[in-house]
Amino acid sequence: MDSQEKRFERVNQKRRTRVELLRAAREIIEKGGHPSVAEVADLAGISRATAYRYFSTPDEIIREAVLDGVADVIKIPPARNDVGDAEVGHRLDDLVSQIFKMVIDNEGVFRALLGSSAVGQAQVRRGGRRIAWLKEAMSPLQATMPPKNFQRLVHALSLAVGIEALVVMRDICELEPKEAEKVLRWTAKTLLAGAMAES
């Protein structure tokens, strides 16, 4: 095996180790646990020293397990220049529905991530992917809506998606998933209509 093949094999081994650690972390989280790096290493059959080279804190491994587990599941079609108001509404409704499905399908890991953030353990801010998704879905409005209004709409819509919105619907409002999704889609549609009327 030449040096290039050895380097390629080392990269592949590192990737396999990381994948296995994240798989083990998700397994613990999905059962309601809040895994330590050592627990994840033990379940994955990887030495603790090796695991700590990949993830130094429990919050880091939880965050990565969540993000890795849901990577690339949200699909937003490219926006056309001639998109009308109704089409923008459809784009938003589809996005809210996709995010809701992603969160409900991975509720345990998202709740673990939220829990680690809520108690101040996480030193790194949680990802703002929802902002990017909302901006992309709403991008046809940027040509007609003042930038300040557009930004405010995106920020307001961020309250209607993600684990926090699901927690309010399920834990506080005591809604079943199907009804919770309807309420969140209605909320997004109402915010959009208000912002468009204002602009």
Side-chain angles (χ1 to χ4, degrees):
M1 188 182 289
D2 64 22
S3 62
Q4 186 174 2
E5 288 173 326
K6 285 178 182 174
R7 199 165 41 250
F8 181 73
E9 182 52 35
R10 275 196 305 275
V11 168
N12 277 340
Q13 180 56 47
K14 285 181 178 180
R15 187 178 299 122
R16 286 191 298 269
T17 300
R18 185 178 187 279
V19 165
E20 190 55 27
L21 288 167
L22 293 176
R23 182 208 59 75
R26 279 194 302 276
E27 186 177 326
I28 294 169
I29 293 166
E30 285 165 2
K31 292 177 181 173
H34 190 285
S36 67
V37 177
E39 287 171 324
V40 170
D42 293 347
L43 181 61
I46 293 168
S47 80
R48 291 178 177 190
T50 297
Y52 277 106
R53 283 198 293 274
Y54 285 80
F55 304 102
S56 57
T57 67
D59 292 322
E60 186 182 353
I61 202 165
I62 288 170
R63 185 174 58 252
E64 289 302 311
V66 171
L67 298 179
D68 184 71
V70 299
D72 302 324
V73 297
I74 302 299
K75 306 293 182 204
I76 303 170
R80 301 184 324 269
N81 292 336
D82 60 343
V83 168
D85 292 353
E87 183 60 27
V88 172
H90 291 306
R91 287 170 66 83
L92 176 60
D93 189 58
D94 181 59
L95 176 62
V96 173
S97 187
Q98 283 188 64
I99 295 174
F100 184 87
K101 181 174 179 0
M102 175 190 71
V103 173
I104 202 84
D105 288 350
N106 300 278
E107 188 173 351
V109 290
F110 275 110
R111 281 182 181 266
L113 179 61
L114 180 62
S116 70
S117 298
V119 296
Q121 295 170 343
Q123 297 302 311
V124 180
R125 285 185 177 182
R126 290 174 42 245
R129 294 173 305 154
R130 75 183 77 179
I131 298 294
W133 291 330
L134 287 163
K135 282 183 176 176
E136 179 63 28
M138 300 288 91
S139 62
L141 292 179
Q142 287 184 292
T144 57
M145 188 175 281
K148 199 176 206 176
N149 293 26
F150 181 80
Q151 193 68 23
R152 186 174 56 208
L153 172 61
V154 168
H155 289 163
L157 288 169
S158 73
L159 297 169
V161 295
I163 184 60
E164 302 86 352
L166 180 68
V167 167
V168 170
M169 293 293 102
R170 299 288 305 274
D171 298 5
I172 297 171
C173 299
E174 299 181 350
L175 298 179
E176 292 300 317
K178 194 175 275 191
E179 188 60 28
E181 181 182 1
K182 283 182 187 174
V183 171
L184 293 174
R185 289 168 70 182
W186 176 86
T187 301
K189 184 171 78 171
T190 303
L191 286 168
L192 175 61
M196 289 172 79
E198 206 175 70
S199 294

